Structure formats: structure tokens, C-alpha cells
Amino acid sequence: MFSIGDFARHGRVSVRMLRHYDALGLLRPARVDPATGYRSYTAGQLARLNRIVALKDLGFTLEQVATLLADEVTVEQVRGMLTLRRAELEASLAEGAARLAQVEARLRTIDAPDVVVKQLPAVRVVELTGIAAGFAPESIGPVVRPLCAELGRRLPAADVTPAGRLTCYYEQRAEDEVVVHAALPASIGPGDLNGLAVADLPATRAATLVHRGAIDGVLPSWQALVRWIADHGFASAGAQRELYLDCPADPAGWVTELQEPISWPGGGRGRPW
């Protein structure tokens, strides 16, 4: 028999934690002295203590640990709980990776952004449009991704010849309504457009900034560009555009040119950042 202190030392836990496990019914002492109240444990109980500690390290609550250790719990139930925990950890890792990407994107915009002012020529495009609830990435992404995919599916059957790279542009129709355009410069033939619309983007002077990395992390780059425009006395003057220069399989390698039409103060509206 081990005293509670010796058992805690062998199990690499605190005496206080052993008392807590006792109170919860997770790990009862093998014997409690009726006169002194001293708790004693057997060497065989170390196996159960090790299982409790291992499950806690996996992130299970003590209530969940009790369920997993219950005699009536089947192997399939244990497998189900572990599978659920794995999914939770995977989601947490994905969330952490997304936050890390946001931090890295913000670090890249701490210094003065490499903004280039250029003249964008007029261009005719074929496009599909959708409506987003706002300019936040979580609102834009679920709309623009299927639009781009559908544009790619419809192109082969349309009488058009692509003449440039995919461009997405955004127009704010109301406070909580943004028109999302997935567009491709193209020479238009006389035949069927397979449901694609034709639009003409006007020539414009634009402040541009190259964003490197996943498009989901574009917000800091847009914010840096908008700050540069304000700091240099310009005003937003038209629909903002994202020109996708390179889109490899790994989104971390994407290269996107952000294009903000500009004028002197008094013209146009931009993203509310």
C-alpha cells in the first residue's frame, strides 16, 4: 500500500489532485483509515491514474474522462469520443494556422506598403455575379469561390476567347449588400455565351499593391492599401479589383494584385476599412 503522498509522487500528480479525483469518484483510495482519514492506494491503481492523466492530456474534461473509464462504455463509444476529439483538435490546428497567416500578413504591412499607381486600360469581360452580405472575408469567400468555379465550368461551351487573367471586383450596393463579380477578359464571339454576362470595365487610374499568400488573408493588405491612399490625399473612385496573377495548388503561394481606383477627394466609395 502507498500513502497518498507516495502514490502522488509515483503517479506524477499532486496530492490535491488525488483528493479531487476521489471527490469526483474517478479514483477512490483502496483504503481510508477510519480513525485518521488517511488515504492509501495500491500499485495496481497506478494504471487507472495513468489513463486519467493521458485522457486529460488529450483535452478531455474530467466528466468525459469518467465516461470513458466507465465499465459500461463500449469500445465503439470510446472510439467515437476519441474520433470527435481528433476532429476538435484538427479544427483548432486549422484555426491556429489561419491566425498565424493573419499575423504574418500584418507583419508584412507594418512597413510602408509597396504601392504603385498605374493606369488600368478599359477591358471587356465575361462574368458571373453574386451577392455578399459585406466586405469581410467570411462574407466574400463563400460567394466568390463558387462563382469562379462556375465561370471556369461555363467557359468551354461559351463562344469567347480568354484574353487575360481572372479578376474579381466588388461594388457596394447597400450597407449590407455587396455585388461580387467573377470576371475574365475575353474576346466575345457572335455565338452562345453559355449564360455568362458581358461587362465593360472602364479605364481608370488605380493604386495597386501585390498581396502574396492565401486570399483569405488579404484583409491586412487591403487595409494597408486604403491607408496609403488616404495618407497621400487620394480618394477611392470605383469598384475595387483583385487580379489573380498566380494561383498554384498551395494557396500560400498565391500572388494577387489589389487594384483600388483613385481620384482626388470627393469621388467614389471604397471598402469601409
Side-chain angles (χ1 to χ4, degrees):
M1 300 287 286
F2 295 100
S3 69
I4 190 171
D6 286 340
F7 190 73
R9 178 166 54 85
H10 287 298
R12 300 295 190 269
V13 296
S14 67
V15 170
R16 181 187 61 82
M17 191 57 67
L18 285 177
R19 291 195 179 106
H20 187 50
Y21 293 163
D22 182 11
L24 294 176
L26 270 177
L27 182 60
R28 300 286 192 189
R31 180 176 180 275
V32 178
D33 189 294
T36 64
Y38 288 165
R39 297 170 171 87
S40 299
Y41 296 82
T42 66
Q45 289 180 288
L46 282 171
R48 183 176 178 88
L49 176 59
N50 289 339
R51 287 197 294 273
I52 293 171
V53 172
L55 290 170
K56 275 188 60 186
D57 288 344
L58 289 175
F60 288 105
T61 66
L62 290 179
E63 290 75 13
Q64 290 171 322
V65 170
T67 300
L68 286 166
L69 295 180
D71 292 337
E72 64 272 15
V73 175
T74 66
V75 172
E76 286 304 315
Q77 288 173 316
V78 173
R79 182 179 288 111
M81 293 185 71
L82 289 171
T83 300
L84 177 60
R85 183 57 187 156
R86 181 178 63 188
E88 291 171 348
L89 290 171
E90 289 173 344
S92 179
L93 286 173
E95 182 180 353
R99 287 181 177 175
L100 178 59
Q102 292 172 0
V103 170
E104 291 174 342
R106 290 188 182 276
L107 284 173
R108 290 194 296 268
T109 61
I110 287 177
D111 299 324
D114 189 14
V115 175
V116 175
V117 175
K118 62 177 68 173
Q119 188 70 25
L120 302 181
V123 59
R124 174 161 289 184
V125 299
V126 289
E127 65 175 24
L128 293 173
T129 60
I131 301 295
F135 278 115
E138 59 268 24
S139 298
I140 293 290
V143 177
V144 73
R145 282 190 285 268
L147 277 181
C148 293
E150 183 63 22
L151 178 63
R153 283 192 290 269
R154 294 194 186 192
L155 273 176
D159 189 14
V160 299
T161 302
R165 296 186 177 277
L166 175 68
T167 299
C168 291
Y169 64 101
Y170 311 93
E171 299 175 291
Q172 186 159 13
R173 178 180 292 174
E175 184 175 345
D176 58 352
E177 186 173 287
V178 177
V179 182
V180 179
H181 302 255
L184 190 70
S187 299
I188 313 300
D192 182 16
L193 293 181
N194 196 23
L196 301 177
V198 178
D200 291 307
L201 298 182
T204 185
R205 188 185 188 199
T208 66
L209 174 66
V210 174
H211 169 77
R212 300 181 185 276
I215 199 64
D216 287 343
V218 76
L219 181 57
S221 296
W222 268 120
Q223 291 173 334
L225 180 57
V226 171
R227 284 195 301 270
W228 185 95
I229 291 170
D231 290 345
H232 288 75
F234 294 106
S236 298
Q240 294 168 314
R241 309 178 191 180
E242 293 170 347
L243 175 64
Y244 300 95
L245 299 174
D246 191 15
C247 301
D250 183 0
W254 283 29
V255 180
T256 309
E257 184 177 80
L258 313 183
Q259 302 172 341
E260 175 88 16
I262 56 174
S263 67
W264 293 109
R269 293 182 64 187
R271 293 193 183 191
W273 298 331

